[in-house]
Amino acid sequence: MKIVAFSDSHGNRDLLREAAEMALRGAPIDICVHCGDGARDMDAIEPILRAANPNVRLYVVRGNCDIGAFFLPVLEIFDVNGVRMIATHGHALEVKTHYGALLNAAESREAKVAFFGHTHRPLLEAIHGVYLINPGALRQRLPGNIAYAQVMVDAQGNIRADLMPWLA
Ligand SMILES: [Mn+2]
């Protein structure tokens, strides 16, 4: 299963589309996550995700800048081949100052992966066996900047997580 996570697109729909097209190369996307701030930008890529895989699952959470998007959840929980994951923007968990609350949110739900955003800084770190993954902000397409995060989960529930840079 291939999970692709974006965050903090802040209205940069063209950039989100380019990142999605890059992510669609190779294996189809089974699950696509947006960690908030520009959550509704997902409208711009949902058709191409569904065209590539009609069964794609989307998890979109509300960020502090998603004004009025009260129909979106603050936290999503989902399972992939027996591996539980959460997605949240993170502003309510104070991720700019510490990861303790985020880690607690994951561990209290027995999640092994926590996707988040808000800091605009890409992060991939395993703490106490929990992957904390922030794709960073979709702002500039520069070689080396991170476009999205990718997590592959095999049938046995083994995880491989990567931050994916823009290709030159
Ligand atoms: Mn933001």
Side-chain angles (χ1 to χ4, degrees), residues 11 16 26 29 37 45 67 83 112 133 143:
L16 180 61
I29 298 171
D37 280 5
I45 64 166
I67 307 298
V83 179
K112 286 275 174 265
I133 302 175

Side-chain angles (χ1 to χ4, degrees), residues 8-10 36-37 64-65 89 117-120 137:
D8 292 86
S9 48
H10 285 281
D37 280 5
N64 54 300
C65 295
H89 188 59
H118 193 52
T119 65
H120 292 200

Side-chain angles (χ1 to χ4, degrees), residues 25-43:
R25 294 181 206 165
I29 298 171
D30 299 294
I31 294 172
C32 189
V33 177
H34 192 296
C35 299
D37 280 5
R40 282 171 294 186
D41 297 337
M42 285 292 274
D43 294 348

Side-chain angles (χ1 to χ4, degrees), residues 77-94:
I77 307 171
F78 52 96
D79 293 305
V80 186
N81 290 350
V83 179
R84 180 151 301 160
M85 307 189 178
I86 64 169
T88 191
H89 188 59
H91 57 292
L93 301 174
E94 302 175 329

Side-chain angles (χ1 to χ4, degrees), residues 8-135:
D8 292 86
S9 48
H10 285 281
N12 291 316
R13 293 187 168 208
D14 290 343
L15 211 51
L16 180 61
R17 199 176 297 112
E18 286 179 45
E21 282 165 0
M22 196 174 110
L24 280 165
R25 294 181 206 165
I29 298 171
D30 299 294
I31 294 172
C32 189
V33 177
H34 192 296
C35 299
D37 280 5
R40 282 171 294 186
D41 297 337
M42 285 292 274
D43 294 348
I45 64 166
E46 186 172 347
I48 60 172
L49 295 173
R50 293 209 183 282
N53 176 12
N55 298 317
V56 66
R57 288 148 63 186
L58 306 183
Y59 297 103
V60 182
V61 295
R62 173 157 46 93
N64 54 300
C65 295
D66 291 318
I67 307 298
F70 296 112
F71 51 93
L72 291 173
V74 169
L75 183 106
E76 283 276 26
I77 307 171
F78 52 96
D79 293 305
V80 186
N81 290 350
V83 179
R84 180 151 301 160
M85 307 189 178
I86 64 169
T88 191
H89 188 59
H91 57 292
L93 301 174
E94 302 175 329
V95 293
K96 284 186 179 175
T97 48
H98 62 90
Y99 297 133
L102 177 68
L103 193 59
N104 186 53
E107 288 183 323
S108 65
R109 294 169 177 86
E110 299 182 340
K112 286 275 174 265
V113 175
F115 293 105
F116 70 109
H118 193 52
T119 65
H120 292 200
R121 291 170 61 178
L123 179 88
L124 170 54
E125 193 173 331
I127 303 179
H128 302 162
V130 179
Y131 285 93
L132 305 185
I133 302 175
N134 188 329

